[in-house]
Amino acid sequence: MLWVKAFHLISMVCWFAGLLYLPRLFVYHAMTGDQACKEQFLVMERKLYWGISTPAMVATLVFGLWLLSYNAQGYMAGGWLHAKLTLIACLIGYHHLCGRYLKRFMKGANTKSHTFFRWFNEVPAVILIAIIILAVVRPF
């Protein structure tokens, strides 16, 4: 069980690295007017989303469900897990929204400002804090 937990945490850290860095790349991408820079950002964004973030998300979910399977009934009795699973659903939606913004950048159809992406970048950090508190403290 501890190996599964370790791999769950490793994949979660990798997923969050992508969720925190990809919108930051969007900030810089939205700010630049240089075509060569835009093309470089596209390469970086695509590799981060498809090469790191998406596989890490899948691994996080697989290892998380594996952990849950050890004591599903016990875990589900606590309200903290329901709240955590709700936040994870929000993160999955956020991840896919990042993919949608990436596609818009790839088409040259981004309509969002760098300021929007600066605020958008804060969402996963807030969710991360809440998930860690829920998983460690288990307040309810």
Side-chain angles (χ1 to χ4, degrees):
M1 181 171 150
L2 291 178
W3 281 102
V4 177
K5 185 183 281 187
F7 285 117
H8 175 64
L9 291 172
I10 291 165
S11 57
M12 186 263 320
V13 168
C14 294
W15 186 24
F16 268 96
L19 290 176
L20 293 167
Y21 188 49
L22 185 60
R24 178 56 47 184
L25 289 175
F26 292 162
V27 169
Y28 301 138
H29 194 156
M31 288 175 63
T32 190
D34 180 43
Q35 188 58 35
C37 286
K38 287 182 180 189
E39 290 173 16
Q40 184 61 42
F41 282 125
L42 281 175
V43 170
M44 294 167 64
E45 292 158 357
R46 182 181 47 78
K47 287 183 177 184
L48 180 59
Y49 185 79
W50 291 110
I52 298 171
S53 296
T54 299
M57 176 187 69
V58 170
T60 301
L61 297 174
V62 166
F63 289 119
L65 290 171
W66 192 348
L67 279 173
L68 187 60
S69 74
Y70 286 119
N71 185 15
Q73 195 171 29
Y75 289 136
M76 294 306 278
W80 67 272
L81 183 64
H82 296 279
K84 180 183 173 190
L85 292 174
T86 300
L87 291 173
I88 291 167
C90 292
L91 277 178
I92 293 168
Y94 183 89
H95 179 93
H96 290 292
L97 188 55
C98 285
R100 184 178 299 164
Y101 288 136
L102 174 58
K103 287 179 184 175
R104 289 183 187 167
F105 275 115
M106 291 173 78
K107 293 178 183 176
N110 173 54
T111 59
K112 304 291 186 189
S113 70
H114 66 92
T115 305
F116 169 82
F117 287 116
R118 287 181 195 279
W119 285 102
F120 182 72
N121 190 202
E122 301 304 321
V123 173
V126 172
I127 293 175
L128 174 64
I129 292 166
I131 286 175
I132 295 296
I133 290 170
L134 287 168
V136 174
V137 178
R138 298 182 182 180
F140 47 88

